């Protein structure tokens, strides 16, 4: 599957390929059509959490690559073995 991800902090997003996951239990696979990006995602993209308007910040320590967004809209395309019919 394809995803736009932070591969290097403070650089443009890069299109990456990831293997399709093997679904377990009640997991579902959603083909995303839209994703909302909020201000906290921008901090992660920049590699630092801004604390104030005086230039104070904390360095981000998130494993890379990191796919941004948490407000998704899409279609369920597969379900795990324990999902009721």
């Amino acid at each position: 599957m394809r995803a736009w991800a932070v591969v290097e902090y403070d650089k443009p997003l890069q299109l990456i390929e990831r293997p399709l996951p093997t679904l377990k239990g009640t997991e579902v696979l959603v083909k995303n059509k839209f994703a909302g990006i909020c201000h906290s995602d921008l901090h992660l993209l920049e590699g630092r959490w801004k604390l104030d308007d005086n230039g104070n910040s904390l360095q981000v320590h998130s494993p890379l690559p990191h796919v941004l967004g948490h407000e998704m809209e899409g279609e369920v395309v597969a379900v795990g073995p324990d999902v009721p019919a």
Side-chain angles (χ1 to χ4, degrees):
M1 68 185 155
R2 297 178 305 155
W4 287 96
V6 177
V7 175
E8 189 176 349
Y9 294 122
D10 215 19
K11 301 286 183 189
L13 297 176
Q14 293 183 31
L15 185 60
I16 62 170
E17 291 281 336
R18 292 216 167 158
L20 284 174
T22 301
L23 300 178
K24 307 176 296 242
T26 57
E27 294 176 331
V28 298
L29 181 63
V30 177
K31 181 178 182 179
N32 289 335
K33 295 185 179 188
F34 303 97
I37 303 294
C38 71
H39 203 81
S40 60
D41 291 313
L42 296 178
H43 291 304
L44 200 143
L45 175 62
E46 294 171 343
R48 60 191 173 281
W49 296 100
K50 293 180 183 173
L51 301 175
D52 56 34
D53 292 332
N54 297 321
N56 295 309
S57 63
L58 295 174
Q59 185 175 358
V60 171
H61 297 286
S62 179
L64 297 178
H66 185 94
V67 178
L68 300 177
H70 54 270
E71 299 164 357
M72 307 296 183
E73 185 275 323
E75 171 187 1
V76 174
V77 294
V79 298
D82 298 332
V83 174

